[in-house]
Amino acid sequence: MTFTKTSQKFGQWADSRANTVYGLGFSSESNLAKFAEKFAEFKEAARIAKEKSQEKMELTSTPSQESAPGDLQSPLTSESINGTEERVTPDTTQHTEPRAEPSQNALPFSHSSSNINKHWEAELEALKGNNAKLTAALLESTANVKQWKQQLGAYQEEAERLHKRVTELECVSGQTTVIKSQKTELNQTIEELESALKAKEEELERLKAEVESANDFQSQKDSLTQKLQDMESRNQTLEAQLSDLEQRLESNQQEREAFRNSLRSLLELLDGKLFELTELRDTLGKLLENS
């Protein structure tokens, strides 16, 4: 079994014999690194103990079966998707495969396996404490989490489907190199989805700002429309006043024209009277000269 870091605070390993995948979440990346180191140390110790047991079995003539430590299933299995940990607490069990009793020559390996089991139990208790803290922190953070947006739910379903695909690949295939490469690609896909979601949220914020700006423009437009209507009404009033003034001006012009015609008539009449008076004066003058 190989422990693989799937994220900064989550790791998992698969047992192909039991067709099971185990996972653990940690409160920090340093704790995850320490667990990975211990996992590798116990894996190496188990390999060395197995090799020594096989060597002793080859030297002995009595056939015996190796006693291997049981598989440990973590009490708290959690999955980390996009940095959010989901808690799943199955029943804490420790599976020990029944095997035949080893011979006397294999007793050192049995003792080593017992020590490994004890060490594993101590590590398991420590992990229980860490997982209890993680559970408390997870419950506290879950209480403050807002409702997922619809698009985030779609991305989360896609991420869950990708993680399920990773689990299936780990159970079916024993080629860890291929699994790691595929897992890396899937993690990159998840990161791309997260970046796309972030871009969509930024676009949504921008659209909200544009909507607010459009609302402001609409209010300004309504205000200008009202002012324009007021101006049109005032313009109609002024046009009516102008039409009245034009009518009055035309009437005044007609009156002035009639007055001018009257003056011309009076001037012509006055000119005739003056001409008659002039003739009368000339006649009177001639009469005075004759007399």
Side-chain angles (χ1 to χ4, degrees):
M1 295 184 294
T2 302
F3 182 77
T4 305
K5 298 179 182 178
T6 58
S7 66
Q8 294 182 351
K9 296 182 181 181
F10 189 83
Q12 62 185 19
W13 67 95
D15 186 356
S16 58
R17 294 176 303 172
N19 196 20
T20 305
V21 178
Y22 303 94
L24 284 178
F26 298 87
S27 60
S28 63
E29 188 175 0
S30 60
N31 291 337
L32 175 61
K34 291 178 183 180
F35 181 83
E37 292 176 359
K38 291 295 182 181
F39 192 97
E41 290 178 4
F42 282 110
K43 180 179 177 181
E44 183 66 20
R47 186 185 63 81
I48 294 173
K50 185 176 181 181
E51 290 178 355
K52 289 182 179 180
S53 176
Q54 289 178 351
E55 291 176 357
K56 291 180 181 180
M57 288 177 63
E58 291 175 357
L59 294 176
T60 59
S61 59
T62 304
S64 61
Q65 297 181 350
E66 295 179 359
S67 174
D71 298 326
L72 292 179
Q73 182 176 358
S74 66
L76 179 62
T77 303
S78 60
E79 296 180 357
S80 174
I81 300 175
N82 299 335
T84 304
E85 297 178 353
E86 297 182 355
R87 178 173 175 266
V88 180
T89 56
D91 295 336
T92 305
T93 58
Q94 180 175 356
H95 304 285
T96 305
E97 297 178 358
R99 296 180 182 272
E101 291 294 330
S103 62
Q104 293 181 356
N105 293 329
L107 288 177
F109 175 71
S110 177
H111 182 68
S112 176
S113 298
S114 177
N115 291 335
I116 291 175
N117 284 333
K118 290 181 180 180
H119 203 120
W120 268 106
E121 289 177 357
E123 289 291 330
L124 185 60
E125 291 298 328
L127 290 175
K128 285 181 180 179
N130 291 334
N131 282 327
K133 294 178 181 179
L134 285 172
T135 302
L138 181 61
L139 291 175
E140 183 179 357
S141 62
T142 304
N144 298 326
V145 171
K146 294 182 179 179
Q147 185 178 4
W148 288 99
K149 295 181 181 179
Q150 183 176 3
Q151 191 170 11
L152 181 61
Y155 286 149
Q156 185 177 3
E157 291 177 0
E158 180 67 15
E160 290 178 357
R161 186 183 67 80
L162 294 175
H163 278 287
K164 289 180 180 179
R165 180 61 180 165
V166 171
T167 304
E168 292 175 359
L169 291 174
E170 289 179 346
C171 294
V172 174
S173 175
Q175 299 177 356
T176 57
T177 305
V178 177
I179 293 175
K180 286 182 179 179
S181 63
Q182 292 178 352
K183 189 182 296 183
T184 303
E185 293 176 358
L186 293 175
N187 288 333
Q188 290 176 355
T189 304
I190 293 173
E191 291 177 356
E192 291 176 358
L193 291 174
E194 289 178 349
S195 62
L197 175 61
K198 186 176 181 181
K200 291 293 183 182
E201 290 178 349
E202 293 177 353
E203 182 70 14
L204 181 61
E205 293 296 331
R206 186 180 65 80
L207 291 175
K208 287 182 179 179
E210 290 180 356
V211 169
E212 292 177 356
S213 178
N215 291 331
D216 294 338
F217 288 150
Q218 185 65 30
S219 61
Q220 293 178 2
K221 180 182 177 181
D222 295 337
S223 177
L224 291 174
T225 303
Q226 185 65 32
K227 290 181 180 180
L228 180 61
Q229 291 177 355
D230 295 339
M231 293 295 294
E232 287 179 352
S233 61
R234 290 181 61 188
N235 189 19
Q236 291 176 357
T237 304
L238 292 175
E239 286 179 354
Q241 293 177 357
L242 179 62
S243 177
D244 186 28
L245 289 174
E246 287 177 351
Q247 292 178 357
R248 291 173 62 184
L249 179 61
E250 185 177 358
S251 177
N252 289 332
Q253 287 178 352
Q254 291 177 358
E255 290 178 358
R256 287 178 64 184
E257 186 68 25
F259 182 71
R260 286 179 182 178
N261 293 331
S262 300
L263 286 177
R264 287 193 188 98
S265 299
L266 289 174
L267 287 174
E268 290 176 357
L269 182 61
L270 183 61
D271 290 336
K273 295 296 182 182
L274 288 175
F275 182 73
E276 291 177 357
L277 289 173
T278 302
E279 289 181 349
L280 180 60
R281 180 179 175 280
D282 293 338
T283 303
L284 292 175
K286 289 179 180 181
L287 288 175
L288 286 174
E289 289 176 0
N290 293 328
S291 62

